[in-house]
Amino acid sequence: MKRILPAALFALAAAWPAGAQESRPLRIGWVQAMANAPALIAEEKGYFREEGLNVELKGFGDGPVIQQAVAGGEIDVAYIGAPPVYQWAARGLEAKIIAKVNYGQAALIAKADGSIQSLSDLRGKKLAGVNRGSGMDVLLRGFVLKETAGLNPDADLQLSQMPVGNMNAALDTGVVDAAFSWEPFISQSVLRGTGRVVFDVNGALPGYPWYVVAAPSKTLKERPDDLVKLLRANAKAVAFLREHPEEANRIIAQSFKLEPVKAAEGTIVPPEAIVAEARKRLGWSAEIEPSDRAFIQRLINYSVDLGILNKPLNVDDIIDDSFAAKAAAQR
């Protein structure tokens, strides 16, 4: 029996699939926005498992909340906007951006039958935005309002902070005159006929990067192989989103529990059509391009100018391409 038992255990271990052994899950925090779809696609299509990666996905409402979770050691890696990452760095929490997730997502919408036709019409109006200091807030205040519209965000209009999920109702009921929102909320408003896109950021800055994969130094040091596996899964998910749009749209619609919307003329718009509409303002890409670095540097500069960041930073200090290079070499 003493000879048989070790032999049996050895045979069982040899038959067990490579990478299938139980390991501590890689805890992935992600902002639950449609632009971050590669995270849910990688889970739904089994790309994490294909790479031998055990993951635990945790959804969050915005980047600042994920920032708190990272600082508290609750998650190991994040699908998040770039601003929280450089804000971490400015406060002494070392972290790096290791890949891109998407481009585009944001737009300013107003009531379809309202008086706001352009950004200049926002003067004296009420505008809904998300938490101050978040990525979307930096983009709104720094690029949309100050640089493009020539407006002072603190003096020329009234900014109201609220969850993005409440913005359409606030717009419909007249609580606010306009909203700076993201998908799928923009498309839901447009397809219902109650909202109209006044300013599409991706139209003004085609292909601007938004969500990225970022990890704190602890994960970078302790789980480098898992990060490479994660980036291979992320690249597979991005390719799937591009190459199989109809199936991807169904998965996104189901994952976000999108409901059909009724258009102004009475027709019913199915959930998949909401995702298709959203694709007009966003897309997915895993590679960090030179133009992406330049845009993130602009966000850093906006944050300094707005008083959100207390010191200037160089974008090259918060990006580490080595994990992406290893992932690409192994594909």
Side-chain angles (χ1 to χ4, degrees), residues 171-216:
L171 188 61
D172 294 346
T173 56
V175 173
V176 296
D177 302 299
F180 191 59
S181 185
W182 65 64
E183 298 294 354
F185 306 103
I186 299 166
S187 293
Q188 288 170 328
S189 180
V190 169
L191 291 172
R192 283 203 316 268
T194 55
R196 172 172 36 82
V197 173
V198 173
F199 184 78
D200 174 10
V201 179
N202 196 51
L205 296 170
Y208 77 93
W210 196 247
Y211 289 116
V212 297
V213 181

Side-chain angles (χ1 to χ4, degrees), residues 88-136:
W88 299 342
R91 295 166 186 164
L93 177 60
E94 291 186 26
K96 299 287 186 182
I97 293 170
I98 59 175
K100 190 167 66 175
V101 176
N102 88 295
Y103 57 86
Q105 88 149 353
L108 191 143
I109 57 175
K111 294 191 73 170
D113 57 357
S115 61
I116 298 176
Q117 302 292 322
S118 66
L119 293 180
S120 60
D121 296 328
L122 290 171
R123 189 179 298 275
K125 298 295 195 299
K126 295 179 181 179
L127 172 63
V130 292
N131 291 337
R132 180 176 176 82
S134 67
M136 285 285 285

Side-chain angles (χ1 to χ4, degrees), residues 160-179:
S160 299
Q161 297 179 5
M162 65 179 66
V164 68
N166 296 350
M167 290 183 184
N168 284 348
L171 188 61
D172 294 346
T173 56
V175 173
V176 296
D177 302 299

Side-chain angles (χ1 to χ4, degrees), residues 14 17 28 69-70 108 131 148 168 191 210 226 241 243 283 287 318:
I28 303 173
V70 170
L108 191 143
N131 291 337
T148 306
N168 284 348
L191 291 172
W210 196 247
D226 283 345
L241 283 157
E243 297 165 7
E287 294 78 24
I318 61 165

